[in-house]
Amino acid sequence: MKKTTLTAILFTVLINVQLNAQEIKVASIEAFNAAVKSVKPGEVIILKNGVWKDVKLNAGGFGTEDAPIIIKAETPGEVIISGNSTLNIYGEHVIVSGLWFKDGTSTYKSVVQFRKNSKEFANNCRFTNSTISYYKVAEGIKDHWVDIWGKNNRVDHNNFTGKVSPGTTLVVWLKGEEHTENNHRIDNNLFGARPELGVNGGETIRIGTSANSKKSSNTLVERNVFAGCDGEIEIISNKSGNNVFRDNLFIGSKGSLTLRHGDNALVERNVFLGNGLSKTGGIRVINSGHIIRNNLMIGLQGDGYRGPIVLMNGVPNSPLNRYEQVTNVDIQNNTIINSGPISFGEGKDEEKSLAPKNVNFSNNLVFNNTAQKNVLILDENTDVNFNSNYLDALGTSENGFSATKVSWKEIGTVPVPTKENPDLLKATKNNLSFSEDITKTKRVVFNVGAFNLDAKKLPKALSLRAGTGWKPNIVAPIVKPKDIVVEPGIETLRKAIDKASAGSKIILKTGEYVLEKTIKISKNIIIEGDKGGASILTSKENLDKPLTYFFRVNEGFKLNLHNLILDGEASSPKYAIVSPDKKENGLYSVFVDNVIFKNFTNTDGGSIFKAYNGTKADTLSFVNTRFENSYRGLNLSYDKDEVGFYNANTIILKNSVFKDIEEAAINYIRNTPTVELPGGKLVIENCVFSNVYNQEKGYTIRANGIHIVEISNTVFVDSYRVETPVSLKGSNHFIKNSLFHDAGFPKISKNAKETALLYKNPKWEDNLLFIPSKKSVLLKENNDTGVQIGLQY
């Protein structure tokens, strides 16, 4: 991004004010407090360079517009605020500048807040040229880095990077009339990496709350950069009225600008660059009266709630904290390139039954070089007026769009339509006629899309100067994983996972661990039960809304489960473990050892493990594990219609049991013209499959199209109705040293191999634990294979 000098552009006002101002230099919190008590308009308090630890900076006073009170670092970036510290800005016309908050161990709920207490607020104040990086809070605190109260305040040219604790990074509050119609300005800030939180409360900016969402805020959010802001689905959560979001850059951030509550937002001239990352989204729309125009979206790979433009369905007579119907919204002159589908009526269900109404969707341009659906109308009652929208994409035409072939040029790496696009001149002037395009250049000829045809310059969002005038050398702290011992109880496991660092081991004592909500795994973690006892995970009984799953493993992370029992009897959850959400294609892994999964009997598509469409595991490993009394085992079949795709690179099953499974134990599919093409591997060793899919057309293992299937030393029993428990096709498929009894016969074709298969009664000493008797053919001394068949004890 283009850099300009601090003295030339950023802080001219500060410098001019300081020319004739009295300067007061302080080197301690005591000296600072004394200076603040007597500070006068136009005076400057300078904090001496160094580390200011465990300080409460009450930066207050009553300046004027022409003579503000300035509190600044001796050298920007060299005044370090650390430890248990906080900054309160309050009064009138107070400017705080040049601080760096890091190495925090705070017990405060705000790092910076625009008030001193519940009665003394800030008006016409400013926090600028400062950094907050990886500032930690004490365990159990949900903090915000910046809380804005009062009116006419500004937060600008700051760097906010590395918030890992629960709580929104920056909040605008509207509780009380002294905070409404506030005209705050949030501009030219760099909002840096915020890792996925795994729960709500990971927004980067929130303006208002659901309770105050009918109030007008009039907050301006402009020229900010949001880079790697993955905290949650809402990067910005608009929860009040009459706010403006313009000229912002969202780059590689896994979420969207969400108009969650409140009316009459203006969203214009923003640029969203997904960089091809999954979950990257654009603008999600709820409520009424919004204008969304002249935005550019490239490479956004989110879909559903995270699509490039998403209009939600609403709830009849919606309470403030739910979903109001989308009405009277104008969406015009946006350009969407190589991104996920635009969605109308998203979230439709029995509760969200009100389709978008009276929506003007005009002059928008979509290009996609991948064959996919680009427009989804999910509620047939959607009331959208489509005018002069154009689509250049592979495949068939889409609702509301006319097909065209766009001629492009590039400014840098940004594609811009040339003058050689006659179709794009067929624009419609509705009740909104824009005088400028995304670059703020006058529209002499009105055309489709965000750019004037043959535009000569980039949008401001791609050339703005955001962040501090000095360069902070931000280094993410190294957090050493540690063991966390957890007591049985309701939600104790979730709380332990929330506070655990990546790589930590969570140790569960003997007892019952009850879940009231699903758990999303967004860090590499080990959950280990009591090997000598019984650590049982279950859901709470009589939940109003039963859990969909116990664990979701998000992309990029590994979940290890050891020595546990996962019991689905209470409230009938559909799944024990699921993949990332659909189309989130970053690799993840699950490693399970000595775990019992039982009673996952939900027949509404349920299974013990489910892979969603478009997701891919690197490794799914189940060792010394039992799957019992459940509807389905491992289900990785939802991409069966997509050629070439498969949901896991490798599945490993060793020394494990599937018993009393109503349908398939394993359903692992790839749609491929030939199984000889590399893709997918299934390894099964020393396992037992007993009473699995016991129907004439049932099957125990389905691995259609998987490149490598290796089955060895395994027992298939007590599925007497099944004719073909497994079908192996291809030169990289084999089954050897395995036994079938009352379980049909394997089908071998297309150069697959079978070796030393037995069709005899296994003769159990214990047919629950599958321990063979002394005369069992499973024992290597009683067969010609030279190996133990079945479980190894």
Side-chain angles (χ1 to χ4, degrees):
M1 294 179 190
K2 185 178 178 182
K3 298 279 185 178
T4 53
T5 64
L6 176 65
T7 55
I9 193 169
L10 295 182
F11 303 108
T12 305
V13 173
L14 293 182
I15 293 168
N16 289 340
V17 168
Q18 293 172 43
L19 290 177
N20 299 310
Q22 179 182 350
E23 294 186 347
I24 306 165
K25 185 174 286 189
V26 295
S28 68
I29 187 63
E30 293 78 13
F32 172 81
N33 289 338
V36 167
K37 283 184 179 179
S38 59
V39 69
K40 297 180 178 61
E43 291 187 335
V44 179
I45 298 175
I46 299 174
L47 278 67
K48 186 175 175 57
N49 291 347
V51 177
W52 293 60
K53 186 176 182 180
D54 301 335
V55 293
K56 184 174 184 180
L57 295 168
N58 284 319
F62 291 89
T64 66
E65 184 175 359
D66 296 328
I69 293 167
I70 297 172
I71 298 169
K72 68 170 190 171
E74 181 180 14
T75 304
E78 295 188 26
V79 171
I80 309 299
I81 313 298
S82 71
N84 189 19
S85 296
T86 189
L87 167 65
N88 300 325
I89 303 171
Y90 58 97
E92 297 278 351
H93 295 286
V94 177
I95 302 173
V96 179
S97 172
L99 309 181
W100 188 354
F101 292 80
K102 66 175 183 175
D103 302 325
T105 54
S106 177
T107 61
Y108 296 99
K109 291 187 177 180
S110 305
V111 179
V112 178
Q113 63 173 343
F114 281 70
R115 67 175 184 174
K116 183 179 182 181
N117 51 46
S118 61
K119 295 182 180 179
E120 297 178 84
F121 304 105
N123 295 300
N124 303 295
C125 292
R126 183 179 179 191
F127 178 62
T128 186
N129 198 33
S130 297
T131 291
I132 307 176
S133 63
Y134 292 98
Y135 205 78
K136 296 187 298 182
V137 295
E139 185 178 307
I141 293 178
K142 185 176 181 179
D143 72 318
H144 308 131
W145 276 4
V146 180
D147 282 317
I148 308 179
W149 301 82
K151 295 189 178 184
N152 303 310
N153 296 310
R154 185 180 181 193
V155 176
D156 67 288
H157 295 95
N158 300 296
N159 185 318
F160 303 115
T161 295
K163 190 174 194 303
V164 298
S165 56
T168 307
T169 305
L170 184 153
V171 181
V172 173
W173 294 95
L174 279 80
K175 186 178 180 180
E177 291 303 315
E178 59 267 58
H179 311 294
T180 59
E181 299 285 347
N182 54 62
N183 300 308
H184 296 319
R185 183 178 174 191
I186 302 163
D187 66 283
N188 293 282
N189 301 288
L190 171 59
F191 293 92
R194 174 150 200 200
E196 192 168 347
L197 188 62
V199 294
N200 289 337
E203 306 100 325
T204 296
I205 293 177
R206 191 184 79 231
I207 303 175
T209 60
S210 56
N212 292 301
S213 58
K214 290 303 181 183
K215 296 179 180 179
S216 175
S217 185
N218 279 348
T219 294
L220 173 63
V221 179
E222 68 173 353
R223 301 183 184 180
N224 301 284
V225 174
F226 300 85
C229 294
D230 302 338
E232 64 150 82
I233 190 172
E234 298 178 16
I235 301 169
I236 295 177
S237 184
N238 181 80
K239 293 187 174 181
S240 54
N242 303 303
N243 298 313
V244 176
F245 306 93
R246 68 160 61 108
D247 295 323
N248 299 289
L249 173 62
F250 299 80
I251 182 167
S253 293
K254 297 182 177 182
S256 60
L257 192 170
T258 303
L259 306 180
R260 184 63 184 87
H261 300 300
D263 302 322
N264 305 318
L266 172 61
V267 183
E268 65 176 356
R269 302 196 306 263
N270 302 285
V271 175
F272 300 79
L273 303 178
N275 290 348
L277 296 174
S278 63
K279 296 187 182 180
T280 49
I283 303 164
R284 184 160 65 106
V285 184
I286 304 111
N287 283 68
S288 302
H290 307 305
I291 299 171
I292 299 166
R293 65 189 185 193
N294 285 340
N295 298 285
L296 174 64
M297 303 170 186
I298 303 177
L300 303 178
Q301 295 305 300
D303 63 357
Y305 283 25
R306 299 175 191 258
I309 296 177
V310 177
L311 276 65
M312 297 290 295
N313 255 31
V315 176
N317 300 311
S318 176
L320 288 175
N321 66 342
R322 293 302 293 146
Y323 289 83
E324 288 199 10
Q325 185 177 22
V326 174
T327 59
N328 305 320
V329 170
D330 275 288
I331 303 173
Q332 297 195 48
N333 287 90
N334 301 286
T335 295
I336 301 172
I337 299 173
N338 289 336
S339 296
I342 301 166
S343 183
F344 299 91
E346 187 63 53
K348 178 187 175 183
D349 57 22
E350 290 185 2
E351 182 201 27
K352 295 189 285 293
S353 60
L354 296 179
K357 182 179 179 181
N358 193 27
V359 175
N360 176 32
F361 193 88
S362 301
N363 308 317
N364 298 289
L365 175 62
V366 173
F367 172 86
N368 206 323
N369 60 13
T370 302
Q372 65 165 48
K373 288 289 291 180
N374 293 282
V375 182
L376 302 175
I377 298 179
L378 302 175
D379 191 324
E380 63 277 8
N381 295 314
T382 294
D383 174 21
V384 178
N385 183 21
F386 290 102
N387 292 289
S388 304
N389 301 293
Y390 282 85
L391 171 71
D392 181 357
L394 299 176
T396 58
S397 61
E398 306 267 4
N399 289 326
F401 281 78
S402 300
T404 190
K405 192 68 178 176
V406 179
S407 170
W408 301 93
K409 70 173 188 177
E410 287 190 350
I411 303 178
T413 59
V414 178
V416 175
T418 69
K419 289 182 179 179
E420 308 303 318
N421 285 288
D423 282 347
L424 303 188
L425 294 174
K426 301 173 185 177
T428 300
K429 288 190 177 182
N430 293 298
N431 57 325
L432 289 177
S433 180
F434 311 137
S435 61
E436 296 175 335
D437 76 347
I438 191 173
T439 70
K440 288 202 72 177
T441 302
K442 186 177 180 180
R443 287 187 183 271
V444 178
V445 178
F446 194 66
N447 61 267
V448 170
F451 289 93
N452 281 328
L453 299 186
D454 209 30
K456 299 296 190 293
K457 60 182 182 179
L458 292 171
K460 284 187 177 294
L462 292 172
S463 57
L464 56 85
R465 164 66 176 88
T468 57
W470 49 279
K471 187 175 181 179
N473 182 23
I474 297 174
V475 178
I478 298 174
V479 180
K480 294 182 179 180
K482 61 180 180 179
D483 293 352
I484 301 174
V485 178
V486 187
E487 297 288 341
I490 297 175
E491 289 292 287
T492 56
L493 175 57
R494 173 196 310 286
K495 293 174 183 177
I497 291 173
D498 287 346
K499 71 180 183 181
S501 57
S504 292
K505 180 186 289 186
I506 295 177
I507 300 172
L508 308 184
K509 296 181 178 181
T510 288
E512 193 170 66
Y513 295 80
V514 181
L515 305 181
E516 293 182 316
K517 299 179 181 179
T518 59
I519 295 177
K520 298 179 179 68
I521 302 298
S522 296
K523 63 190 81 170
N524 295 338
I525 205 161
I526 300 169
I527 303 174
E528 185 172 286
D530 186 351
K531 193 170 185 178
S535 302
I536 302 170
L537 275 60
T538 186
S539 60
K540 190 175 181 179
E541 293 185 357
N542 301 317
L543 288 171
D544 291 337
K545 186 177 181 181
L547 302 186
T548 304
Y549 54 82
F550 283 7
F551 296 105
R552 161 164 278 156
V553 188
N554 286 332
E555 56 183 356
F557 300 104
K558 297 177 183 178
L559 172 63
N560 285 261
L561 300 178
H562 303 161
N563 311 328
L564 300 168
I565 299 171
L566 276 68
D567 191 340
E569 185 172 14
S571 296
S572 192
K574 292 183 75 170
Y575 317 107
I577 304 173
V578 299
S579 72
D581 204 356
K582 59 183 182 178
K583 303 296 183 182
E584 295 177 8
N585 56 11
L587 294 177
Y588 68 99
S589 291
V590 177
F591 297 92
V592 175
D593 188 356
N594 194 33
V595 172
I596 297 173
F597 297 93
K598 64 180 183 178
N599 302 321
F600 288 88
T601 56
N602 190 313
T603 59
D604 183 19
S607 58
I608 290 170
F609 173 86
K610 175 183 177 176
Y612 284 93
N613 304 68
T615 63
K616 184 172 285 187
D618 182 58
T619 304
L620 301 175
S621 174
F622 300 87
V623 179
N624 306 318
T625 292
R626 292 180 69 97
F627 304 82
E628 300 178 353
N629 188 38
S630 294
Y631 181 53
R632 292 172 178 159
L634 313 181
N635 194 354
L636 300 91
S637 67
Y638 287 88
D639 283 301
K640 59 182 179 292
D641 297 325
E642 185 169 345
V643 175
F645 198 82
Y646 51 100
N647 294 114
N649 289 332
T650 304
I651 300 177
I652 299 170
L653 287 156
K654 292 186 178 181
N655 215 51
S656 295
V657 172
F658 288 82
K659 185 178 188 299
D660 299 331
I661 308 297
E662 187 171 339
E663 290 198 356
I666 303 162
N667 200 350
Y668 178 30
I669 294 176
R670 178 177 63 146
N671 184 348
T672 180
T674 171
V675 74
E676 302 302 333
L677 292 174
K681 182 177 183 179
L682 173 63
V683 178
I684 300 173
E685 295 180 7
N686 294 98
C687 292
V688 174
F689 296 88
S690 173
N691 188 28
V692 176
Y693 211 164
N694 193 11
Q695 300 177 21
E696 183 178 346
K697 294 185 178 181
Y699 47 85
T700 303
I701 299 166
R702 189 181 184 198
N704 296 2
I706 300 303
H707 180 53
I708 299 172
V709 178
E710 300 175 350
I711 303 174
S712 59
N713 315 333
T714 289
V715 176
F716 298 80
V717 293
D718 299 330
S719 304
Y720 61 91
R721 293 190 181 94
V722 174
E723 295 181 355
T724 307
V726 58
S727 178
L728 302 179
K729 300 176 182 179
S731 61
N732 292 296
H733 289 207
F734 70 73
I735 182 168
K736 66 180 182 180
N737 306 333
S738 295
L739 179 144
F740 293 81
H741 181 69
D742 283 342
F745 300 87
K747 183 176 181 180
I748 310 297
S749 62
K750 295 186 178 180
N751 299 316
K753 302 174 183 67
E754 61 175 87
T755 306
L757 301 187
L758 305 175
Y759 298 92
K760 297 183 178 181
N761 190 323
K763 295 183 180 178
W764 305 112
E765 178 181 311
D766 186 325
N767 61 1
L768 294 178
L769 298 178
F770 298 104
I771 300 172
S773 68
K774 292 181 180 180
K775 294 183 179 181
S776 173
V777 71
L778 301 177
L779 300 178
K780 63 182 179 179
E781 57 266 29
N782 297 333
N783 65 49
D784 295 329
T785 66
V787 297
Q788 167 91 28
I789 301 174
L791 303 182
Q792 293 181 324
Y793 287 91

